Amino acid sequence: MLYLALSVLFSSLIFVIFKLFQVYKIETLYAIITNYFVASVVGLLFYDGTVNVSQIPQKSWFWGTFLLGFLFIAVFNLMAATAQRVGVSVASVATKMSLVIPVIFGVFVYQETLGTIKVVGILLALAAVYFASIKHGRSGVKSNSLWLPILVFLGSGCIDTSLKYIQEVYIEEAEFPLFSATVFGSAALVGVLLIIIKAIKGSFTGNLKNVIGGVALGIPNYFSIYFLLKALQNDQLNSASVFTINNVAIVMFSTFLGILLFKESISTKNWGGIALAIISIVLVAFF
């Protein structure tokens, strides 16, 4: 449970840092690309073995990390587009409700058993994420923008499912830091391609403030993935339980951080979602 708690902590810090980006006028795209470089370096520093870059492509999980790196960049941009065109709450709900995908994957592929109580807990978790995220005055989703939250939902679910599958089939525990570093390195390379395209178009505007923001984001971003991989090795909790607790706890903790640090207002529905989240965690984790 310690690894799961640490994953929740670092994942929640990411949301706080994104909020600070808005406060300090940091350009998110360039900061996120810098963050992937930083996260990759942190992963290499935490790897105990000898790093031979030429041997990394020979690892059985290498092409999986390249796919994940692409997904990291793609899903991030889809989340940004969803927040801008449809609404922040819609983007948040679409991202967190994606826990359904790895849960279903675990049941069918790994024959993981849930039981009636855990199924109820997962359903409550979905309701908790929705009510904790919904905001007053949210406009409806226009039909021509509906594909954005759908793609965010599918993309986030694919990331979690791919992490679980690669961790289960290909990675030895000692290689977690190297695997994580390679994932972030792949995302950084995709980000560089985006920067090159923007530079060619004449729309590149990098500065030191964006780099500092990327450094601040990269460290917790790395550890959020690293500790999630460690948590998935828990013999007492299956992947359905891990993903449910992780996603719901992030919503809860991020909400409290928003209240404490940014004085964000919480509606009655939001508090109801938090209450449902606590109940769902109890049902999934302890029954």
Side-chain angles (χ1 to χ4, degrees):
M1 293 297 288
L2 174 62
Y3 293 133
L4 189 54
L6 289 171
S7 177
V8 170
L9 170 63
F10 285 110
S11 297
S12 299
L13 287 177
I14 291 173
F15 288 102
V16 173
I17 293 169
F18 275 130
K19 183 70 173 181
L20 292 173
F21 282 0
Q22 184 181 27
V23 173
Y24 292 102
K25 310 299 181 184
I26 293 174
E27 295 175 272
T28 306
L29 176 60
Y30 300 118
I32 201 73
I33 293 172
T34 303
N35 126 88
Y36 286 133
F37 281 104
V38 173
S40 182
V41 171
V42 172
L44 293 176
L45 292 175
F46 274 81
Y47 181 53
D48 291 332
T50 302
V51 179
N52 189 331
V53 177
S54 63
Q55 292 182 356
I56 291 179
Q58 301 173 16
K59 298 288 185 181
S60 58
W61 41 257
F62 174 73
W63 291 110
T65 64
F66 187 80
L67 173 63
L68 280 170
F70 175 80
L71 281 174
F72 278 16
I73 290 287
V75 171
F76 169 77
N77 282 281
L78 286 169
M79 288 171 60
T82 303
Q84 292 165 4
R85 299 183 192 179
V86 187
V88 173
S89 60
V90 176
S92 175
V93 170
T95 302
K96 296 307 174 187
M97 285 185 67
S98 67
L99 67 89
V100 172
I101 296 176
V103 166
I104 294 174
F105 186 83
V107 170
F108 285 98
V109 176
Y110 304 117
Q111 287 76 50
E112 293 181 344
T113 57
L114 297 180
T116 303
I117 293 179
K118 286 195 174 184
V119 169
V120 171
I122 291 170
L123 292 175
L124 286 178
L126 294 176
V129 170
Y130 175 78
F131 284 113
S133 303
I134 195 170
K135 303 297 181 185
H136 290 300
R138 179 169 65 96
S139 59
V141 180
K142 296 180 180 179
S143 58
N144 61 352
S145 298
L146 186 61
W147 62 275
L148 283 170
I150 291 175
L151 288 178
V152 170
F153 173 84
L154 294 174
S156 298
C158 286
I159 287 175
D160 286 345
T161 303
S162 300
L163 283 172
K164 169 61 181 174
Y165 180 77
I166 295 173
Q167 177 267 334
E168 187 80 20
V169 177
Y170 295 109
I171 313 174
E172 298 179 2
E173 184 175 1
E175 290 186 329
F176 279 177
L178 183 61
F179 168 76
S180 302
T182 308
V183 170
F184 289 120
S186 298
L189 291 177
V190 175
V192 168
L193 291 177
L194 289 175
I195 288 178
I196 292 174
I197 292 173
K198 283 183 169 292
I200 292 174
K201 292 181 177 180
S203 58
F204 175 67
T205 56
N207 58 52
L208 181 59
K209 186 166 63 174
N210 295 337
V211 173
I212 294 174
V215 173
L217 179 63
I219 296 173
N221 196 7
Y222 168 80
F223 284 111
S224 68
I225 299 296
Y226 174 76
F227 285 119
L228 177 60
L229 289 172
K230 298 285 284 185
L232 285 169
Q233 287 197 314
N234 192 317
D235 294 330
Q236 298 177 347
L237 294 174
N238 58 25
S239 64
S241 301
V242 170
F243 283 120
T244 301
I245 296 171
N246 186 68
N247 281 20
V248 175
I250 289 170
V251 171
M252 290 170 53
F253 192 50
S254 299
T255 300
F256 285 121
L257 288 176
I259 296 172
L260 293 173
L261 300 178
F262 305 109
K263 311 301 180 184
E264 293 182 352
S265 60
I266 305 298
S267 68
T268 303
K269 288 182 179 180
N270 297 152
W271 284 118
I274 293 171
L276 287 176
I278 295 172
I279 295 172
S280 70
I281 287 179
V282 172
L283 292 179
V284 171
F286 301 108
F287 288 90

